[in-house]
Amino acid sequence: MPRKALYNVEEVLEQAIAVFLEHGYHGAIMEEIIARTDFNRRGFYLEFGSKQQFLYIVLAHYQEQHLSKAFSHLEHNIGMQSIQGFFSAYVELVKGRGCLLINIITELGFDDPKIRDIGRHYLDRLQIDFIACLEKAQQLGEVRLDINIESTGLQLCSYVQGFAVNGILAGDTDELTLATRAILGPLKPSI
Amino acid sequence: MPRKALYNVEEVLEQAIAVFLEHGYHGAIMEEIIARTDFNRRGFYLEFGSKQQFLYIVLAHYQEQHLSKAFSHLEHNIGMQSIQGFFSAYVELVKGRGCLLINIITELGFDDPKIRDIGRHYLDRLQIDFIACLEKAQQLGEVRLDINIESTGLQLCSYVQGFAVNGILAGDTDELTLATRAILGPLKPSI
DNA sequence: AGTTAAAAAGAACAGCTGTTCTTTATAGGT
DNA sequence: ACCTATAAAGAACAGCTGTTCTTTTTAACT
């Protein structure tokens, strides 16, 4: 009996990521979101409830579909190669765009405790994963023995944030790729 | 003849920094800005023109009055101590608040070329200053000779961005201070 | 003390934003 | 072929936001 929906939730969420990346949360207006997602207004509110709830769903989708592709390198831990894989995937993700999660944290983190929680979990996971990879890499002799694993994990974590900001400023040059080499190079053993 | 103004532009700008830090640019509404700055509406628009122009002025003030206090450590270059001075000043600035400049870049960087320019200049300056301090520190024997100055400068630059994000998430714990030690420690010579 | 130019207070306004409601079209079951 | 339940399209709306206008107050000069 019912008519079949024409919209595809996956595609809607993908488009929404682009809109929120360009204008932020408050800067993105429903008019543009609805137009660019090829959705219709009523369907939108039946499906998602409100702009704020929609943001949470888009953010979850961004973590599952985009960030997790970078994370999977780390979590499928084979040492230094995993860290390199993470950075090249992350650079590809944020190049000329920035990171949606970081942008939303800096815009709404103060006001929205839920966003703050998401941010904290994200950073914790990142640091834990880096540490595991560094331990493995050290066992494999891919990393100097005299570095402190915990400190280095924290450092790598900071780089990720630096890249998220630089992704917006740098356009799509190779700056970030060069920076990755500058960062990971010094970890290697002397010879 | 004229009545003397009661408001103090300095104080207005200070309060505005707080409001923009809490809610971002689009999230901050004129109603709250005017109420919390003890300003009056008409005076506000005569003095600043519009919300957007006001943002630029607040941002300039933030750079001159707050960020530059941290930068002055670097630019009054006496080696490693300057870098440490910078980080402790910066941590104090962003602890529990984040960095206004970084927040505005992530919120508006894509849409507003002027903000993007300000961001690029800021990062360039930061990197150049770090490099100068590292060179000096190396001359003074405060830093290992086998580190690459340019890479390390870039790394320190990334930490700063990491701190800006963490400042929002970490509340006002000592996390950032501990992280600074973890980062600067490994630069020291072995003995 | 009177005058006056500018400041303070806040009412008013136009346009925008998130949300809801109404109407029209259409795919699927009978 | 005819219902019918739901999707699509977009008009409508209430409340908010940035900005301007009007009125009232007040400090300084004559």
Side-chain angles (χ1 to χ4, degrees):
Chain A
M1 313 144 173
R3 186 178 169 186
K4 211 177 88 189
L6 291 185
Y7 66 85
N8 173 332
V9 173
E10 283 288 303
E11 281 170 25
V12 168
L13 295 175
E14 280 304 309
Q15 277 304 316
I17 288 171
V19 177
F20 282 133
L21 273 172
E22 286 171 26
H23 308 300
Y25 174 72
H26 283 120
I29 63 175
M30 293 307 301
E31 206 60 38
E32 185 178 356
I33 292 173
I34 284 164
R36 280 180 55 183
T37 55
D38 279 324
F39 213 154
N40 73 87
R41 231 176 281 274
R42 180 133 175 77
F44 183 94
Y45 283 96
L46 284 172
E47 180 86 33
F48 300 114
S50 71
K51 188 185 181 187
Q52 188 180 335
Q53 280 178 266
F54 181 59
L55 173 72
Y56 295 145
I57 292 165
V58 172
L59 220 46
H61 177 84
Y62 185 75
Q63 290 195 85
E64 279 158 32
Q65 294 300 313
H66 297 264
L67 281 173
S68 76
K69 273 187 192 149
F71 271 96
S72 72
H73 286 99
L74 293 182
E75 283 164 9
H76 168 256
N77 176 3
I78 55 167
M80 205 57 196
Q81 205 181 309
S82 300
I83 294 179
Q84 260 152 3
F86 171 86
F87 274 103
S88 78
Y90 189 76
V91 164
E92 206 50 48
L93 178 64
V94 303
K95 196 198 284 186
R97 265 187 299 266
C99 169
L100 182 61
L101 183 52
I102 298 302
N103 291 1
I104 293 298
I105 290 170
T106 55
E107 184 180 350
L108 305 176
F110 194 93
D111 277 328
D112 187 330
K114 190 162 174 175
I115 297 289
R116 224 161 39 227
D117 268 7
I118 293 171
R120 288 209 191 97
H121 280 108
Y122 163 75
L123 284 192
D124 283 352
R125 181 177 166 200
L126 191 60
Q127 197 175 346
I128 287 166
D129 288 353
F130 272 139
I131 286 173
C133 282
L134 286 167
E135 276 169 354
K136 181 83 167 194
Q138 220 171 33
Q139 283 164 24
L140 295 172
E142 296 171 336
V143 157
R144 304 163 61 130
L145 291 170
D146 63 339
I147 70 160
N148 178 296
I149 296 283
E150 296 246 338
S151 306
T152 309
L154 192 68
Q155 290 171 36
L156 294 180
C157 242
S158 290
Y159 294 139
V160 177
Q161 267 52 264
F163 282 12
V165 175
N166 265 292
I168 300 168
L169 297 176
D172 31 300
T173 64
D174 286 331
E175 268 181 61
L176 298 180
T177 311
L178 294 171
T180 309
R181 272 181 228 152
I183 283 161
L184 299 182
L187 296 177
K188 283 192 215 132
S190 311
I191 300 161
Chain B
M1 313 140 177
R3 186 178 169 186
K4 212 177 88 187
L6 290 186
Y7 66 84
N8 173 332
V9 173
E10 282 289 304
E11 281 171 24
V12 168
L13 294 175
E14 281 304 310
Q15 277 303 316
I17 289 171
V19 177
F20 282 134
L21 274 171
E22 286 171 26
H23 308 299
Y25 174 70
H26 283 120
I29 63 175
M30 294 307 301
E31 205 60 37
E32 185 177 357
I33 292 173
I34 284 164
R36 280 180 55 183
T37 55
D38 279 323
F39 213 153
N40 72 88
R41 232 176 279 276
R42 180 131 177 79
F44 183 93
Y45 283 96
L46 284 173
E47 181 85 34
F48 300 115
S50 70
K51 188 185 181 187
Q52 187 180 336
Q53 280 179 265
F54 181 58
L55 173 71
Y56 296 145
I57 292 165
V58 172
L59 220 47
H61 177 84
Y62 185 75
Q63 289 195 85
E64 278 158 30
Q65 294 300 312
H66 296 264
L67 281 173
S68 76
K69 273 186 192 151
F71 271 97
S72 73
H73 285 99
L74 294 182
E75 283 163 8
H76 167 256
N77 176 2
I78 55 167
M80 205 57 196
Q81 205 182 308
S82 300
I83 294 179
Q84 261 152 5
F86 171 86
F87 274 103
S88 78
Y90 189 76
V91 164
E92 205 50 48
L93 178 63
V94 303
K95 196 197 285 185
R97 264 187 298 266
C99 170
L100 182 62
L101 183 52
I102 298 301
N103 291 1
I104 293 299
I105 290 170
T106 55
E107 183 180 350
L108 305 177
F110 195 93
D111 277 329
D112 187 330
K114 191 163 173 174
I115 297 290
R116 224 160 41 226
D117 268 8
I118 293 170
R120 288 210 191 95
H121 280 108
Y122 163 75
L123 284 191
D124 283 352
R125 181 176 165 202
L126 193 58
Q127 197 175 346
I128 287 166
D129 288 353
F130 272 138
I131 287 173
C133 283
L134 286 167
E135 276 169 354
K136 182 82 168 196
Q138 220 172 33
Q139 284 164 24
L140 295 172
E142 296 171 337
V143 158
R144 303 163 61 131
L145 290 170
D146 63 339
I147 69 161
N148 178 296
I149 295 284
E150 295 246 339
S151 307
T152 309
L154 192 67
Q155 289 171 38
L156 293 181
C157 242
S158 290
Y159 294 139
V160 177
Q161 266 53 263
F163 283 11
V165 175
N166 265 293
I168 300 168
L169 297 176
D172 31 297
T173 65
D174 287 333
E175 268 181 60
L176 298 180
T177 310
L178 296 171
T180 308
R181 272 180 227 152
I183 283 161
L184 299 182
L187 297 177
K188 281 191 217 136
S190 312
I191 305 156

